[in-house]
Amino acid sequence: MIQRLRHYLASSLRRRLLLLTLAPLLILLLALVGLTAYWTTAYTDRQLYMNVRSDLDVSSRVLQSQHQRLRDGLEAMRRNLHQTTTTTDQASRLLPRLVPRLHAMRETLNADWLRWLPAEELSQTPGVASLVPQLARGESLDGLDVLSADSLASLDPTLAERARLALRQTPHAQPSARREENRGMLLRALVPVSNTQGELLGVLDAGRLLNRDPRLVDEIRDLLYGPGTLPEDGIGTITLFLDDVRIATNVTDLIGERAIGTRASSDVTHQVLDTGQRYVDRAFVVRDWFVAAYAPLEALDGQRIGMIYAGYPQAPYAALYRETLVHISLILLAVSLLGVLLVWSGIEHLMQPIRQIRRVVHAVRDTPARDDLRIGTLTSLGPAQRRGDELDDLAEEFDAMLARLEAHRHEIQAAASTLEAQVEDRTRDLSTQTDTLRERSQALEEHVHLLREARARLLTREKLAALGELTAGIGHEINNPAAVILGHVELIEVILGEQAKPVQEEISTIIHQVERIRALVDNLRQYARDPHPMAGDTDSPGSLGTPVLSQIHPDEAIHSIEVLVRHALDHQGHQLRHHLSATRLIEADRAQLTQVLVNLLINAIEMAPRPDTLCITSADRDDVLTPDLATEQQLDMPPQAAVTGVEIRIIDHGNGVPEHLKARIFTPFFTTRANGSGIGLSVSSGLITQLGGRLWLEDTPGGGATFCLWLPCIARRHHEDNQGRHLLETLSAGGSSRAH
């Protein structure tokens, strides 16, 4: 996308000039939009939080004035009692005079209860016992308090029922196992009454339950958020919390009812109730985000019991902010469009002489023989109308350059005519020589290819000559101990007689393996003589020994080698699994097939990581011989004919064979292991090839190597054709040709 945009801009000078001119303007406009958005957001948020903090202060003072009103009423009642109290009056004598006054004062103070507590009962009264020392000193107390359900029921059963709230699930609230709140938060005032001698006679106790009481929160809301104080959709809200539970609120839920029993969000609860600090920020309130302020509430004894909240929805202010930003953006966009039009008009005026120069260039390119094509002849501006700027100077210089080019063109045409005649003569001479060179080049390439093949074969023969000398001595030294071992094992079997039956299988295995050692030594000696004879060598065996062919089931051969490699498997910690599904018989030498399978399996055991699960499979498979392979093996069948056979795969999950080494793994003496000889895979490939089969390597999915072995049901001995004789004849002919 970026490359296409660059190409679009680079293909037009007009677009590049427009971009260079408008880029500073666009950057300035974006900066103005960003600064406007930042300033609007910062100023609006600061104002909103300042307003809601002020609303919270007013709400706290209104709440304080409510319980001070209760105390003032009780103190007025106490003053009346002092005027009628004598020195000898006791609490029992005051009670008859108090009863009619308590009911009247309760109605006046709009309290839920107003009672007289004698001095001797204060220590047993819930919520008052801890305040007795202050009351005894004559101090009047007012504030918030919390009473249990039993304490409320002792005052009035209806108060306990009104205080009970079912807790509701609230988004963003702290998880809680509570399902009900039965305590009550109340406004409370306690005024002590003493006789003239200063003895405490009792206490006037008045209170107002705030649970489910909407009068106080609605009164504060109407005071703070009258008409016109908030946007059209803004609704101011006030809430009283007992702990984190809303007990009195004008916040509504999704169905429009007061959200009594819902809970505050966890971040608010932590900052206000846990740390005792105010919270002034945006907060999630029941169902939406609000601009909110919370403050902690404390009881008469100084304990933190709840919160008071003031706030209003954030959505109307966010909508107002977006609307303002859209208006500013539209104004800036209009200014930008006006600037684009002015810039475009200026660029068009600037590009007019450049377009005239371009038309002249195209005309000269299409009709170069015309002498009248000049910018001065095509432009519509006369000398009096020219501006005399750099573009006019450029046009004059361009006309002078065209005149010089025209003169050079005539000179070149004259020289070209002479040169063409000379080139035609030289071309006729070269065409005759080219055909001869092409024929010699092809012959030389063929000779080089044949020489490379001969060199590779000669190098292999030199290596095998050295190996033959070494193998002859080693074979003699190995065959002698092998014969001794074989003789002693047979002697042991004869001496033991019937007692040899428990170890008969082990004795047979030893004999079989000794025979296999001797066969391997013989095969190695034969291979060292020449595994791949050159054509024309009539005295070379040309094979790995004459195989003794028989009908073999491949699965039986696979099962027989497991005993031979069991020690290596256990030593490396590997497991061997079979997936054998072959049903056909193959024609092969059992010992040679065993040798090949053991070589491949030992190679897989040494290359696989520890531990690994090796897998050996067999399956019926028809192979298709290419025309070259069918001819090379001298098969009596048409090219591309299908040949029945069996495929065996040995799979490991090691590091595999690097791509650059795959072409060399079947080469004699090539090995990647420090203790390897480099002939195992080469010998195996030769044994399989002389039976008419194939051995190749594939990658194991997921990592590793898979050696694939295919053998035909009817073996075909591999015979070299006359390629070597043809090579010698060609080399001789090539030498004669070069001498010639």
Side-chain angles (χ1 to χ4, degrees):
M1 183 65 183
I2 296 178
Q3 294 294 336
R4 288 162 57 182
L5 179 60
R6 288 179 178 176
H7 181 267
Y8 176 76
L9 295 175
S11 61
S12 173
L13 180 60
R14 185 188 302 114
R15 299 190 193 106
R16 280 184 285 173
L17 290 174
L18 181 63
L19 177 63
L20 292 175
T21 307
L22 294 181
L25 178 61
L26 293 176
I27 294 174
L28 178 61
L29 292 177
L30 292 176
L32 289 175
V33 172
L35 290 175
T36 303
Y38 171 76
W39 180 84
T40 304
T41 303
Y43 177 78
T44 302
D45 290 347
R46 184 168 60 253
Q47 289 297 114
L48 291 177
Y49 294 140
M50 290 175 58
N51 292 340
V52 77
R53 186 182 292 109
S54 175
D55 296 341
L56 180 63
D57 293 337
V58 173
S59 302
S60 299
R61 288 195 293 270
V62 172
L63 180 63
Q64 184 179 5
S65 68
Q66 291 295 318
H67 51 73
Q68 287 179 349
R69 180 171 174 268
L70 283 177
R71 188 189 66 182
D72 294 342
L74 294 182
E75 287 182 345
M77 187 175 183
R78 180 180 64 178
R79 287 192 295 270
N80 292 334
L81 289 175
H82 282 170
Q83 295 175 1
T84 60
T85 301
T86 63
T87 303
T88 59
D89 280 341
Q90 302 295 326
S92 59
R93 299 181 60 186
L94 289 175
L95 188 58
R97 298 199 301 269
L98 283 174
V99 171
R101 296 184 183 182
L102 292 176
H103 182 72
M105 183 59 70
R106 174 185 171 187
E107 295 294 334
T108 302
L109 298 177
N110 196 20
D112 289 321
W113 78 85
L114 177 58
R115 60 179 176 172
W116 166 257
L117 296 176
E120 59 272 13
E121 297 180 6
L122 293 179
S123 59
Q124 288 83 29
T125 303
V128 180
S130 61
L131 306 175
V132 171
Q134 296 172 268
L135 296 172
R137 293 195 297 267
E139 298 179 9
S140 296
L141 303 176
D142 66 272
L144 298 173
D145 204 357
V146 176
L147 292 180
S148 64
D150 295 337
S151 299
L152 291 173
S154 64
L155 293 172
D156 188 345
T158 59
L159 295 180
E161 183 62 29
R162 202 174 95 193
R164 184 175 291 107
L165 300 174
L167 300 187
R168 299 159 62 179
Q169 293 290 337
T170 310
H172 298 268
Q174 289 182 344
S176 176
R178 292 191 304 159
R179 294 293 179 266
E180 184 181 71
E181 176 62 75
N182 55 14
R183 297 175 299 162
M185 178 185 285
L186 45 102
L187 297 171
R188 194 170 193 179
L190 296 170
V191 176
V193 178
S194 305
N195 57 20
T196 56
Q197 296 179 349
E199 296 177 353
L200 181 63
L201 301 178
V203 174
L204 293 172
D205 178 19
R208 175 180 169 186
L209 182 64
L210 298 177
N211 293 36
R212 298 182 183 274
D213 187 356
R215 292 173 296 175
L216 179 59
V217 294
D218 289 349
E219 178 184 348
I220 299 174
R221 180 197 61 191
D222 296 340
L223 176 64
L224 293 175
Y225 305 113
T229 58
L230 294 176
E232 182 177 354
D233 297 333
I235 300 175
T237 54
I238 305 295
T239 300
L240 294 176
F241 290 86
L242 177 55
D243 287 341
D244 64 341
V245 179
R246 290 180 176 84
I247 60 170
T249 184
N250 38 48
V251 176
T252 57
D253 55 18
L254 293 175
I255 60 176
E257 297 182 355
R258 294 178 187 263
I260 301 296
T262 57
R263 301 169 58 219
S265 58
S266 58
D267 51 351
V268 171
T269 302
H270 172 71
Q271 183 167 333
V272 179
L273 293 181
D274 296 343
T275 65
Q277 300 178 0
R278 284 191 170 196
Y279 181 95
V280 181
D281 203 343
R282 64 193 296 267
F284 190 85
V285 179
V286 180
R287 58 187 174 84
D288 203 353
W289 290 95
F290 278 56
V291 178
Y294 295 79
L297 297 177
E298 296 181 351
L300 290 171
D301 56 1
Q303 297 294 324
R304 203 175 296 128
I305 60 173
M307 301 179 289
I308 183 172
Y309 149 85
Y312 34 82
Q314 186 184 21
Y317 293 96
L320 183 61
Y321 161 72
R322 289 193 297 269
E323 183 179 354
T324 303
L325 190 60
V326 168
H327 290 167
I328 294 174
S329 300
L330 290 177
I331 293 174
L332 293 178
L333 181 61
V335 173
S336 302
L337 292 177
L338 179 60
V340 170
L341 293 176
L342 293 176
V343 171
W344 184 264
S345 176
I347 291 176
E348 285 294 320
H349 184 67
L350 180 65
M351 291 295 297
Q352 183 176 0
I354 297 177
R355 283 196 295 269
Q356 293 172 351
I357 294 175
R358 183 183 181 187
R359 286 197 296 269
V360 172
V361 172
H362 287 179
V364 171
R365 181 192 63 187
D366 296 336
T367 56
R370 291 182 57 183
D371 298 336
D372 59 339
L373 291 176
R374 298 293 184 268
I375 296 176
T377 60
L378 294 182
T379 181
S380 60
L381 298 176
Q385 295 175 309
R386 290 186 178 180
R387 296 169 296 184
D389 55 10
E390 291 84 352
L391 292 176
D392 285 339
D393 295 340
L394 177 63
E396 293 178 359
E397 291 292 334
F398 193 80
D399 286 342
M401 181 190 67
L402 289 178
R404 290 193 297 271
L405 287 177
E406 183 65 23
H408 287 305
R409 186 177 64 82
H410 289 298
E411 295 176 1
I412 292 173
Q413 286 180 347
S417 300
T418 304
L419 183 61
E420 286 178 358
Q422 296 176 354
V423 169
E424 289 179 359
D425 296 338
R426 185 60 179 165
T427 301
R428 283 193 295 269
D429 296 337
L430 290 177
S431 61
T432 304
Q433 299 176 6
T434 301
D435 296 337
T436 304
L437 289 175
R438 186 180 297 110
E439 294 176 358
R440 292 181 179 179
S441 176
Q442 292 177 353
L444 181 59
E445 289 179 357
E446 294 178 359
H447 294 164
V448 170
H449 177 70
L450 294 175
L451 284 173
R452 287 177 178 173
E453 291 184 352
R455 179 184 177 186
R457 292 177 178 270
L458 290 173
L459 181 60
T460 301
R461 288 176 59 84
E462 290 177 1
K463 292 181 180 179
L464 292 176
L467 179 62
E469 295 179 2
L470 179 63
T471 304
I474 293 176
H476 181 269
E477 295 300 328
I478 292 177
N479 281 333
N480 288 339
V484 173
I485 294 172
L486 183 60
H488 280 75
V489 170
E490 292 176 350
L491 180 60
I492 291 172
E493 183 179 12
V494 172
I495 294 173
L496 292 178
E498 294 296 329
Q499 297 179 359
K501 289 184 177 180
V503 293
Q504 186 63 46
E505 183 178 353
E506 286 74 8
I507 292 174
S508 299
T509 301
I510 293 174
I511 295 173
H512 177 72
Q513 292 305 310
V514 171
E515 293 292 345
R516 183 169 174 268
I517 290 173
R518 299 176 66 181
L520 288 176
V521 172
D522 292 339
N523 285 337
L524 184 59
R525 294 171 63 186
Q526 291 291 338
Y527 180 79
R529 292 175 61 185
D530 195 350
H532 303 288
M534 291 183 61
D537 291 347
T538 58
D539 57 344
S540 175
S543 67
L544 295 173
T546 303
V548 180
L549 301 180
S550 62
Q551 293 292 324
I552 303 172
H553 197 290
D555 294 352
E556 295 178 359
I558 292 172
H559 284 299
S560 66
I561 67 168
E562 186 173 359
V563 177
L564 305 180
V565 298
R566 174 53 56 191
H567 175 72
L569 287 170
D570 296 339
H571 179 70
Q572 299 289 344
H574 298 323
Q575 293 182 355
L576 181 62
R577 293 185 179 177
H578 304 90
H579 296 286
L580 308 178
S581 59
T583 60
R584 299 170 179 172
L585 298 179
I586 59 176
E587 188 177 20
D589 186 306
R590 183 178 297 273
Q592 291 182 353
L593 179 59
T594 302
Q595 177 184 352
V596 171
L597 294 177
V598 169
N599 282 344
L600 296 179
L601 198 52
I602 290 297
N603 186 72
I605 290 172
E606 293 179 353
M607 298 304 294
R610 299 184 184 180
D612 189 15
T613 299
L614 307 180
C615 184
I616 182 167
T617 68
S618 68
D620 296 339
R621 177 183 168 184
D622 295 341
D623 200 12
V624 178
L625 296 182
T626 62
D628 294 339
L629 186 58
T631 302
E632 180 183 352
Q633 295 188 353
Q634 298 180 353
L635 301 182
D636 187 14
M637 59 182 64
Q640 301 292 341
V643 180
T644 59
V646 174
E647 182 182 81
I648 301 173
R649 289 174 172 257
I650 298 176
I651 305 168
D652 67 69
H653 303 88
N655 296 325
V657 179
E659 191 67 29
H660 66 282
L661 297 181
K662 289 182 179 179
R664 303 177 59 191
I665 60 173
F666 296 109
T667 303
F669 312 112
F670 174 76
T671 180
T672 59
R673 299 197 300 270
N675 58 348
S677 63
I679 62 172
L681 291 178
S682 178
V683 169
S684 299
S685 178
L687 292 173
I688 297 304
T689 302
Q690 74 176 2
L691 295 176
R694 294 191 296 116
L695 177 62
W696 71 95
L697 172 67
E698 294 182 359
D699 291 330
T700 302
T706 299
F707 280 93
C708 306
L709 168 66
W710 179 85
L711 285 170
C713 293
I714 300 176
R716 297 285 182 176
R717 290 293 309 275
H718 175 73
H719 296 286
E720 292 286 345
D721 58 9
N722 293 326
Q723 180 181 3
R725 184 175 295 106
H726 174 68
L727 171 62
L728 296 177
E729 294 175 355
T730 305
L731 289 175
S732 301
S736 301
S737 176
R738 287 191 297 271
H740 176 72

